DNA sequence: GTCTATAATTCGATAGAC
DNA sequence: GTCTATCGAATTATAGAC
C-alpha cells in the first residue's frame, strides 16, 4: 500500500462502504459521493485513496469462491457437497457481497463481466476438471454448472422470483441438478 | 396513441433505436441523446413522445416469450421442444431484443426486475403448470426452469463465458436439463 | 411537428488551504 | 491526512421560436 498506517481506518471504511453500495445498486447507480457519505468522509478522499471510480470498483471486487477441495470426494456426492457449499456461501454476509457485487454490475459494466470470466476460468473450471477426473467435456459441464449457479443467484437474490424456498429446499434441488450436470448424460434420453 | 399519424415514423424510429440501445447497454448506460441521435431526431422529441426516460423504457420493454402450446405434447418430449423454442428465440433478432433488453437492465434497475417477475408469473408458470399436469411443485419447477434459462442467457449472451458452443449443442444439453427439471426427481438419488 | 436554447441537476475529478 | 471550493462535462427535462 502506498499510504501510511494512519489512514488505514479511512481506507477500509471506504472500501467496506463501496462493497455495500456496489452490491446493492451495481456500478452505475453507485456514486463516489454515496460511498464517501457512508464512510463519513469527503468524496475527495475516495479519489485520493483509490484514484477513480473504476479503481474503487477494482479494489472492491476481489472474489474468492473458497471452493472446497474435491480430490477424495466420491463422484456421486459431488452435487450435494457443492450445493451445500454455495448456498452456505450465498446466505453468509461474505458471500452475499462476494457474488452479488459482481453479478449486479456484470450485466451492464464490461469490466465486471470480464472479472466474472476470470473467476470462471481460474476457479470453476479447475474444480470441475478435478471433480470429473478431467473428462473431455469438463469445460462444457463447468459452463453448465456456472449457468445454473449464476441463474440461481440472479433469480433468488436479485430478481427475487417467487416462490422463494428455504435454504434447505434450495440445497436439495440444486444438489440433484448439479449432480446431473457433473456426472449425468448431456445428450438425449435419461430423465 | 395520443399522437397523429404524421409522427408515426418518428415514434417508431425512436422506439426501435431505444430497444437496440437498452438491449446493448442496459438502462443506465443508455441516454436519451443516444436514442435520439440513432433515430435522427432531436432529444426533445423523445421526451415529447414518451414523457421521460422511464416512459421510454416501459414502452420499449414489451416481452412476449411466444411460448408454444404444450397441451398435447408427450411429457418426455417437453424438454426438447422447449429447448428448441428458446434457442431459436434467442438466436433471432426479435428474441435478442425481447429477452436481453430486460435482463441487461434487471440487475440494476428495479422496474426492469419487476417486469421480469411479471413475465415469469404470467407466461412461464402457466406453461409449466399445463406441461406437468399441474403437479403440486409446479411453481418450484417453473422457478428452476427460469433459473436455468435466465442463467443461460446471462452466461452465453451477456457474460460470454467460454466455451461458446454452437446452437445445436446448446439445444441438446438444455433439453436434457429442462426435461429433468420438468419431469425428473428434485430430491436425492437418481443421476 | 420539429428544432434551438437552456434550465436545473448531478456526476467524477482536481487544486489548494489548513 | 482531511476538507472546502470548484471545475468541466454530462445528464434529464422544459420553454418557446419556427
Amino acid at each position: 500500500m502506498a499510504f501510511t498506517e494512519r489512514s488505514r481506518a479511512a481506507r477500509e471504511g471506504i472500501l467496506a462502504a463501496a462493497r455495500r453500495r456496489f452490491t446493492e445498486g451495481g456500478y452505475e447507480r453507485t456514486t463516489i459521493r454515496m460511498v464517501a457519505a457512508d464512510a463519513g468522509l469527503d468524496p475527495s478522499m475516495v479519489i485520493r485513496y483509490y484514484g477513480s471510480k473504476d479503481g474503487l470498483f477494482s479494489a472492491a471486487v476481489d472474489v474468492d469462491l473458497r471452493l472446497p477441495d474435491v480430490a477424495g470426494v466420491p463422484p456421486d456426492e459431488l452435487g450435494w457437497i457443492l450445493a451445500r457449499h454455495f448456498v452456505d456461501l450465498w446466505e453468509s454476509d461474505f458471500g452475499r457481497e462476494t457474488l452479488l457485487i459482481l453479478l449486479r454490475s456484470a450485466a451492464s459494466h464490461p469490466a465486471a463481466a470480464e472479472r466474472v470470466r476470470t473467476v470462471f476460468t481460474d476457479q470453476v473450471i479447475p474444480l470441475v476438471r478435478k471433480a470429473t477426473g478431467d473428462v473431455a467435456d469438463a469445460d462444457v459441464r463447468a459452463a453448465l454448472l456456472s449457468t445454473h449457479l449464476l441463474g440461481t443467484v440472479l433469480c433468488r437474490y436479485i430478481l427475487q422470483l417467487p416462490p422463494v424456498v428455504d435454504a434447505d429446499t434450495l440445497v436439495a434441488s440444486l444438489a440433484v441438478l448439479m449432480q446431473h450436470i457433473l456426472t449425468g448424460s448431456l445428450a438425449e434420453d435419461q430423465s
Side-chain angles (χ1 to χ4, degrees), chain A residues 90-91 96 99-100 103-104 146-165 170 174:
Chain A
W90 297 333
E91 298 287 333
R96 213 179 293 284
L99 257 184
L100 279 191
L103 200 48
R104 180 85 72 176
S146 300
T147 293
H148 200 82
L149 287 174
L150 292 179
T152 302
V153 174
L154 181 71
C155 291
R156 182 178 175 87
Y157 300 96
I158 295 180
L159 301 180
Q160 298 181 14
L161 237 55
V164 177
V165 300
L170 179 65
L174 207 54

Side-chain angles (χ1 to χ4, degrees), chain A residues 169-183:
Chain A
T169 306
L170 179 65
V171 170
S173 62
L174 207 54
V176 171
L177 289 172
M178 293 178 78
Q179 186 70 46
H180 192 136
I181 287 172
L182 286 175
T183 62

Side-chain angles (χ1 to χ4, degrees), chain A residues 91-173:
Chain A
E91 298 287 333
S92 72
D93 287 346
F94 166 80
R96 213 179 293 284
E97 284 194 355
T98 288
L99 257 184
L100 279 191
I101 194 174
L102 260 188
L103 200 48
R104 180 85 72 176
S105 302
S108 61
H109 194 59
E114 170 60 29
R115 198 64 165 250
V116 176
R117 282 192 291 272
T118 302
V119 171
F120 173 74
T121 304
D122 295 349
Q123 301 183 45
V124 180
I125 284 192
L127 172 89
V128 173
R129 283 184 180 169
K130 192 179 291 185
T132 61
D134 212 353
V135 294
D137 59 356
D139 289 8
V140 172
R141 290 176 192 270
L144 289 173
L145 192 80
S146 300
T147 293
H148 200 82
L149 287 174
L150 292 179
T152 302
V153 174
L154 181 71
C155 291
R156 182 178 175 87
Y157 300 96
I158 295 180
L159 301 180
Q160 298 181 14
L161 237 55
V164 177
V165 300
D166 62 274
D168 287 337
T169 306
L170 179 65
V171 170
S173 62

